[in-house]
C-alpha cells in the first residue's frame, strides 16, 4: 500500500461519518481504521500470522479495569 497513513485517515473518516460524526473520539476511529487496514493487508498478503488482542485496545482496557475492580473487592473482603 503506497500510503498507509492516508488509507487509515480515509477509513477513519468513513467510520466517523457512518456513526453520525460524534465529537471527541478521533483516536477510537483512527485505531479502528488502523486495525481494519492492517488486518486486510495481512489477509491479502497470505500471512499466517494470527490476529492479536493488543490491536483491540478497547477490549484490553475494559478487561484490565474489570480485573482491578475484582481484585480490590476481594482484598477488602479478606481484610474484613
Amino acid at each position: 500500500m503506497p500510503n498507509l497513513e492516508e488509507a487509515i485517515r480515509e477509513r477513519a473518516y468513513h467510520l466517523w461519518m457512518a456513526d453520525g460524526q460524534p465529537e471527541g473520539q478521533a483516536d477510537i476511529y483512527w485505531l479502528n481504521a488502523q486495525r481494519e487496514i492492517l488486518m486486510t493487508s495481512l489477509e491479502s498478503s497470505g500471512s499466517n500470522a494470527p490476529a492479536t488482542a493488543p490491536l483491540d485496545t478497547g477490549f484490553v482496557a475494559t478487561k484490565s479495569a474489570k480485573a482491578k475492580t475484582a481484585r480490590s473487592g476481594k482484598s477488602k473482603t479478606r481484610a474484613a
Side-chain angles (χ1 to χ4, degrees):
M1 185 167 292
N3 193 345
L4 181 60
E5 186 175 332
E6 182 63 28
I8 294 169
R9 182 181 300 115
E10 286 181 25
R11 182 61 185 145
Y13 175 76
H14 290 289
L15 292 171
W16 176 72
M17 291 290 288
D19 279 353
Q21 306 169 356
E23 300 221 8
Q25 299 178 357
D27 54 339
I28 293 171
Y29 288 98
W30 181 271
L31 292 172
N32 285 337
Q34 182 181 44
R35 183 180 62 234
E36 285 184 21
I37 298 292
L38 293 175
M39 291 302 293
T40 301
S41 177
L42 282 174
E43 290 170 359
S44 67
S45 70
S47 174
N48 291 331
T52 58
L55 291 175
D56 191 358
T57 58
F59 175 75
V60 172
T62 303
K63 184 177 179 183
S64 176
K66 286 181 181 177
K68 287 181 182 178
T69 303
R71 277 188 245 129
S72 66
K74 287 181 182 177
S75 64
K76 288 179 183 177
T77 305
R78 289 180 186 165

